[in-house]
Amino acid sequence: MTPRPRPKLVVFDLDDVLVEYQRERRVDALARAVGAPPATVLDALFKSGLETKNDRGELGLEDYLDAVRRRHGLDIPLEAFIDARRQSMRLRRDVLGLAERIAPQTTLALFTNNGQWLGRQLPKFFPELRPLFGTRMITTGQLGLTKPDPQAFYACLSTLGFSPASALMIDDRTENVGGAQSAGLDAIHYTSPPQLAGELLRRGFDLEPVHAP
């Protein structure tokens, strides 16, 4: 098989690629914060569609929480909402290690289906991301488009200043991989760190550990 050209831009998804995300842990933290059953919190945030509207940029965070308060009677403090998201994530050090190994060979970015507020919080949650991704942490909330819509990928790349043909998307959802490919990007369906390493090797990356001088 002919090796793929090494991409000039590698875009990582966040949830369940760079981090392990557990919605249940997030819901439980919020339930404790407001003294409500987890099922009530789940209905208010997720089954109501409000989280999806925040992901699309249709609702800012304050409007989101206001809608939860008005429609569902849950008064979630801003700080508790943000901290619950932090508690729901665990950084995948093995995936971060792969990102560190390819960083000298390409440009790295992050693109996630999440509200704009999360993009602002990520460097505080995980300071390890800033040296690798800089300000190239894009949320669908800031674009007003969500994956797997090919237009979301076009908008992301336009923001980053890269063409689809030069970019590689790494995502755990097959529909997002398909959306990226429809937009002209190369894409990897992430399943595990060893599988990802093999796919990166096929694209010409050197995965030898980076040694400090």
Side-chain angles (χ1 to χ4, degrees):
M1 181 179 295
T2 303
R4 294 178 182 268
R6 182 186 295 174
K8 296 178 181 178
L9 174 72
V10 178
V11 185
F12 285 79
D13 181 37
L14 178 69
D15 293 329
D16 296 320
V17 176
L18 279 169
V19 303
E20 175 193 350
Y21 170 54
Q22 292 190 9
R23 179 189 288 184
E24 181 179 351
R25 185 181 293 153
R26 181 182 176 191
V27 168
D28 285 347
L30 288 171
R32 290 193 299 272
V34 298
T40 301
V41 174
L42 185 67
D43 287 345
L45 269 61
F46 298 101
K47 294 185 179 180
S48 67
L50 291 174
E51 178 86 357
T52 300
K53 288 185 176 182
N54 181 246
D55 290 349
R56 289 200 202 104
E58 297 172 13
L59 283 176
L61 182 52
E62 291 184 359
D63 290 337
Y64 178 8
L65 294 179
D66 185 58
V68 170
R69 186 179 305 112
R70 287 186 289 103
R71 298 183 191 180
H72 302 276
L74 295 180
D75 190 3
I76 303 176
L78 178 66
E79 297 78 8
F81 184 87
I82 291 173
D83 190 60
R85 190 50 152 103
R86 180 191 60 79
Q87 292 183 50
S88 72
M89 295 183 289
R90 297 290 183 271
L91 191 62
R92 286 180 165 166
R93 299 281 175 182
D94 40 12
V95 176
L96 189 70
L98 290 173
E100 289 172 341
R101 292 182 188 187
I102 68 173
Q105 306 165 58
T106 189
T107 299
L108 299 181
L110 182 157
F111 184 35
T112 177
N113 271 0
N114 273 292
Q116 188 170 2
W117 68 272
L118 183 59
R120 293 192 293 266
Q121 295 296 326
L122 276 176
K124 302 175 188 177
F125 292 165
F126 303 113
E128 303 94 330
L129 297 179
R130 179 69 82 182
L132 292 173
F133 297 96
T135 59
R136 300 177 302 278
M137 291 186 267
I138 311 297
T139 65
T140 54
Q142 75 190 75
L143 300 179
L145 295 159
T146 54
K147 299 181 283 185
D149 185 345
Q151 293 299 323
F153 295 98
Y154 291 136
C156 175
L157 293 181
S158 177
T159 300
L160 295 169
F162 286 83
S163 68
S166 68
L168 167 66
M169 182 75 213
I170 301 167
D171 205 292
D172 65 302
R173 293 185 175 272
T174 56
E175 62 268 28
N176 293 343
V177 169
Q181 291 171 335
S182 294
L185 290 78
D186 185 14
I188 294 171
H189 177 216
Y190 171 85
T191 58
S192 70
Q195 172 260 351
L196 177 57
E199 293 289 347
L200 292 172
L201 286 170
R202 286 181 51 221
R203 288 160 175 84
F205 285 107
D206 179 2
L207 298 185
E208 289 300 314
V210 178
H211 298 289

